[in-house]
């Protein structure tokens, strides 16, 4: 079915039932608009084309009762007023405003936005989740609303600034590969679960006021973080990727809350509190972790292999798991004495390994060892440079034990 107006707009009042592949087309000039006020249903392809100067507006639910085969909308400006469900592709060409809605493809195909997007309500975009069922936002995205993008085993691409004119409140992305080519500004949380995460907008291009959560597509995905990380992680986040996260996030969380994949940390500079978690795996620290600004480090896993230094400028350091020393290592919350007060250093479980462990929590920070140190493999040495209080819940077995300052129990 084809309806065409060569001079003027097309308005359809009431519900529409498609009985075959259909298109509504205008001459594409100024005022040659398309408006559909009611619901649209039918398992057929629909094209709405108002050209480069006409506008398109739909008010009702599209595909709510019977999903459309596909939807292709072209206009100078496009307004989608409610949910859209198709079996296959959705293509929006033109600047798009989306009211609170879900855009869903149920069988297979991409959802593509070729134009700037304005969110007038919270929006969910979901594909069927197969390989190639991608989500592509090729223009800017703005609006003080939440945006959720789920392409499953497909890719999700943000090709232009997100929140550049009006920051979003929350962004949640689930994809095989998540590609962020420009900037992000969000007043709440940013969550990305993918097997590849690329931030290519440059240093400080990701501005988040809440929590940044980065993880693999499922709990078993292994992660390499830092430069270089010597592991074999499926998800690799280089130091360059990490540097894209601007100072100012409440915290950064790496890994699933129920993660079982191993995490390998190479050298990394951090500006905000960092939590690395793998409740069912191992965390290996192979490169120096350096925190400035309000950065702190919390590592949580059953086993933590410590082979490098962890240094902050007054932020806490917590190793929540059994620690094995793979090399001489230092935990320092004073930035080499630059922040004399320091902060607490907490090791919640055992510490073993034939290497030296040096600890400096400054004049106001406490050091706590929650279990035996050296009971399985004696430490070469345990050195406490500065601390307000040194507490050991178990025994210490080491070649040398040195405490230069602070009270000890």
């Amino acid at each position: 079915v084809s309806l065409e107006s060569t001079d003027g707009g097309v308005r359809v009042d009431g519900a529409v039932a498609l009985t075959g592949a259909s298109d509504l087309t205008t001459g594409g000039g100024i005022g040659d608009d398309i408006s559909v006020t009611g619901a649209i249903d039918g398992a057929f392809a629909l094209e709405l084309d108002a050209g480069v100067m006409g506008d398109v507006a739909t008010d009702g639910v599209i595909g709510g009762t019977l999903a459309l085969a596909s939807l292709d909308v072209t206009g100078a400006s496009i307004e989608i007023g409610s949910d859209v469900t198709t079996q296959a592709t959705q293509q929006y060409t033109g600047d798009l405003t989306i009211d609170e809605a879900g855009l869903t493809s149920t069988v297979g195909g991409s959802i593509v936005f070729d134009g700037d997007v304005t969110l007038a309500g919270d929006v969910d975009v979901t594909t069927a989740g197969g390989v190639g069922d991608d989500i592509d936002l090729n223009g800017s995205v703005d609006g003080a609303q939440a945006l959720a993008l789920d392409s499953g085993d497909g890719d999700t691409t943000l090709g232009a600034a997100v929140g550049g004119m009006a920051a979003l409140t929350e962004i949640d992305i689930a994809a095989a590969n998540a590609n962020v080519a420009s900037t992000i500004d969000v007043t709440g949380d940013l969550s990305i679960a993918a097997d590849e995460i690329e931030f290519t907008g440059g240093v400080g291009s990701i501005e988040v006021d809440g929590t940044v959560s980065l993880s693999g597509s499922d709990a078993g995905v292994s992660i390499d973080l830092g430069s270089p990380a010597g592991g074999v992680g499926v998800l690799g986040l280089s130091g360059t990727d990490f540097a894209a996260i601007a100072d100012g996030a409440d915290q950064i969380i790496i890994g699933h809350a129920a993660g079982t994949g191993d995490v390998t940390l190479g050298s990394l500079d951090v500006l905000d509190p960092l939590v690395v978690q793998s409740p069912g795996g191992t965390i290996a620290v192979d490169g120096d972790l350096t925190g400035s600004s309000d950065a702190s480090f919390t590592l949580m896993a059953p086993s933590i292999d410590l082979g490098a230094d962890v240094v902050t400028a007054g932020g806490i350091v917590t190793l929540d798991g059994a620690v094995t020393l793979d090399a001489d290592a230092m935990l320092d919350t004073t930035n080499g004495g630059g922040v004399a007060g320091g902060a607490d250093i907490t090791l919640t479980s055992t510490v073993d390994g034939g290497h030296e462990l040096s600890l400096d929590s400054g004049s106001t920070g406490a050091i706590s060892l929650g279990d035996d140190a050296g009971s399985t493999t004696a430490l070469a040495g345990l050195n406490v440079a500065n601390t307000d209080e040194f507490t050991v819940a178990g025994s210490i077995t080491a070649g040398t034990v040195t405490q230069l300052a602070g009270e000890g129990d």
Side-chain angles (χ1 to χ4, degrees):
V1 178
S2 296
L3 295 177
E4 181 177 358
S5 171
T6 59
D7 184 12
V10 175
R11 179 181 176 88
V12 180
D13 289 321
V16 175
L18 303 179
T19 58
S22 303
D23 57 85
L24 297 180
T25 305
T26 69
I30 296 175
D32 292 344
D33 305 332
I34 296 173
S35 175
V36 182
T37 63
I40 305 174
D41 285 290
F44 301 96
L46 175 63
E47 180 179 358
L48 305 175
D49 187 352
V52 296
M53 290 186 286
D55 300 333
V56 179
T58 64
D59 295 332
V61 175
I62 299 176
T65 301
L66 185 58
L68 275 61
S70 62
L71 178 64
D72 189 341
V73 184
T74 300
S77 68
I78 302 166
E79 183 173 355
I80 300 298
S82 192
D83 295 342
V84 178
T85 303
T86 59
Q87 299 173 33
T89 59
Q90 295 179 30
Q91 171 79 46
Y92 302 92
T93 304
D95 293 341
L96 173 66
T97 298
I98 311 174
D99 294 340
E100 185 169 347
L103 308 183
T104 305
S105 172
T106 60
V107 177
S110 298
I111 299 179
V112 179
F113 305 87
D114 282 328
D116 297 335
V117 175
T118 299
L119 306 180
D122 294 345
V123 172
D124 297 339
V125 181
T126 308
T127 68
V131 175
D133 294 341
D134 304 334
I135 298 173
D136 294 326
L137 291 106
N138 297 319
S140 63
V141 182
D142 287 289
Q145 310 292 337
L147 177 63
L149 307 171
D150 187 350
S151 59
D153 289 334
D155 298 341
T156 292
T157 298
L158 302 178
V162 176
M165 299 296 292
L168 277 62
T169 59
E170 183 177 346
I171 300 174
D172 192 340
I173 299 173
N177 301 310
N179 306 304
V180 180
S182 186
T183 60
I184 286 179
D185 192 350
V186 57
T187 58
D189 298 338
L190 169 65
S191 176
I192 303 178
D195 291 345
E196 182 178 343
I197 300 172
E198 296 287 345
F199 295 131
T200 57
V203 174
S205 58
I206 309 299
E207 298 186 45
V208 178
D209 294 341
T211 295
V212 178
S213 299
L214 306 177
S215 66
S217 60
D218 61 57
V221 170
S222 55
I223 300 172
D224 287 352
L225 176 63
S227 298
V232 291
V234 172
L235 171 59
L237 292 166
S238 69
T240 300
D241 289 327
F242 205 83
I245 303 173
D247 188 9
D250 286 343
Q251 64 177 342
I252 302 168
I253 300 175
I254 304 297
H256 275 274
T260 58
D262 294 339
V263 181
T264 302
L265 302 177
S267 298
L268 190 65
D269 294 324
V270 179
L271 298 173
D272 296 304
L274 175 66
V275 176
V276 181
Q277 58 187 9
S278 182
T282 296
I283 295 174
V285 181
D286 291 346
D288 293 341
L289 306 182
T290 304
S292 55
S293 187
D294 66 339
S296 60
F297 292 99
T298 300
L299 311 183
M300 298 186 297
S303 300
I304 299 172
D305 296 336
L306 184 62
D309 298 339
V310 181
V311 178
T312 71
I316 65 168
V317 172
T318 300
L319 305 186
D320 188 0
V323 174
T324 299
L325 299 177
D326 289 340
D328 294 347
M330 174 176 62
L331 307 180
D332 175 12
T333 58
T334 73
N335 192 25
V339 181
D344 293 349
I345 297 173
T346 304
L347 291 82
T348 64
S349 187
T350 57
V351 182
D352 286 287
H355 300 279
E356 291 195 2
L357 177 62
S358 299
L359 306 172
D360 189 344
S361 65
S363 59
T364 61
I367 296 173
S368 174
L369 303 183
D371 208 324
D372 295 340
S375 61
T376 300
T377 302
L379 277 60
L382 179 62
N383 309 309
V384 178
N386 297 285
T387 188
D388 180 52
E389 183 178 14
F390 181 34
T391 303
V392 182
S395 63
I396 297 176
T397 304
T400 60
V401 177
T402 304
Q403 182 176 346
L404 300 180
E407 299 179 357
D409 293 322

